[in-house]
Amino acid sequence: ENGVDFKATLNSNRETGKVAGNLETKYKWSDYGLTFTEKWTTENVLNTEIKIEDQIAEGLELAFDTSFTPHTGKKSGTIKSAYKMDFLQLNCDVDFDFAGPTVNGSAVLGYEGWLAGYQMQFDSSKSKLTKSNFGFGYDGGDFAFTTFVDGGQEFTGSVHQKVNDNLDAAVSLSWAAGTGNTTFAIGSKYKIDDDASFSAKVNNQSQV
């Protein structure tokens, strides 16, 4: 459907007396997969987004976001892209900055319960990869496990097992390469009936 939508929101903090709100206008042309959104806030900030979906390729979404503050002259912009298909999702955002754009990217691959994902951030002003995370896991219904590596410095893993209809158990382990610190925890949940359950968790520091 094609058309124009208007939405206005207003919030008031009774403690500070501050009032905040915005007026949003959205124009949509479904035949071309195009959406234009404009939002003006009470802080005198104008946000604009232009988005196009499923036109260049099925499952591909492209968007351009801008923000402009008239009284300060501050401007910012971001190009966003996302591609989705049955077993794969890709995202890439580029934040524009006078010092140099920052690129954020992620990818998730899934197949028959197996999942793998990667997330990165590259700061072109420093020519440096500032974020690099990797995750891997499996969900088999009654059994699931996940592993996660944060910047090559922290390694985390967890296992969840549904023992029966009333009992669930889980174990988590984390290790920090920089400090060598290791944390370990085990937990369980027991369903007493449809309205009540009991959960408990204890870690290697004897915290319950």
Side-chain angles (χ1 to χ4, degrees):
E1 295 182 1
N2 301 327
V4 181
D5 294 329
F6 296 95
K7 184 172 69 174
T9 60
L10 185 67
N11 299 303
S12 176
N13 189 316
R14 298 179 62 181
E15 294 182 0
T16 62
K18 185 177 180 179
V19 177
N22 63 71
L23 176 64
E24 180 180 292
T25 307
K26 181 178 290 187
Y27 306 87
K28 191 172 184 180
W29 295 271
S30 298
D31 292 342
Y32 302 98
L34 186 65
T35 303
F36 177 82
T37 305
E38 190 176 59
K39 182 186 293 185
W40 193 281
T41 73
T42 52
E43 296 179 347
N44 200 25
V45 178
L46 178 63
N47 298 291
T48 305
E49 180 189 65
I50 302 173
K51 182 170 65 175
I52 185 169
E53 301 177 78
D54 299 323
Q55 295 300 302
I56 300 174
E58 185 176 354
L60 178 63
E61 178 181 304
L62 299 174
F64 179 54
D65 289 347
T66 64
S67 177
F68 175 57
T69 307
H71 64 278
T72 64
K74 183 179 180 181
K75 303 174 184 177
S76 64
T78 304
I79 293 178
K80 300 179 180 180
S81 62
Y83 180 68
K84 301 176 184 178
M85 55 190 302
D86 290 342
F87 306 112
L88 178 67
Q89 179 167 330
L90 303 173
N91 293 275
C92 183
D93 301 343
V94 181
D95 297 326
F96 289 99
D97 189 287
F98 289 111
T102 300
V103 180
N104 295 277
S106 66
V108 178
L109 178 66
Y111 182 72
E112 294 186 351
W114 294 94
L115 289 169
Y118 179 71
Q119 179 189 39
M120 58 76 69
Q121 182 181 79
F122 179 77
D123 188 342
S124 63
S125 65
K126 301 177 181 177
S127 298
K128 182 180 179 181
L129 190 66
T130 55
K131 183 184 293 184
S132 179
N133 303 324
F134 175 76
F136 179 74
Y138 174 75
D139 185 355
D142 292 341
F143 173 79
F145 77 86
T146 59
T147 59
F148 183 74
V149 182
D150 185 352
Q153 295 297 313
E154 185 171 350
F155 301 82
T156 304
S158 65
V159 178
H160 174 269
Q161 174 72 53
K162 187 173 182 64
V163 182
N164 53 49
D165 292 339
N166 297 324
L167 182 62
D168 290 62
V171 176
S172 66
L173 179 66
S174 179
W175 178 70
T179 62
N181 291 338
T182 301
T183 57
F184 173 85
I186 183 170
S188 65
K189 178 180 178 180
Y190 181 75
K191 181 180 178 182
I192 300 172
D193 54 38
D194 292 338
D195 299 320
S197 63
F198 174 77
S199 299
K201 179 181 178 180
V202 61
N203 61 23
N204 61 326
Q205 297 178 347
S206 300
Q207 294 175 331
V208 179

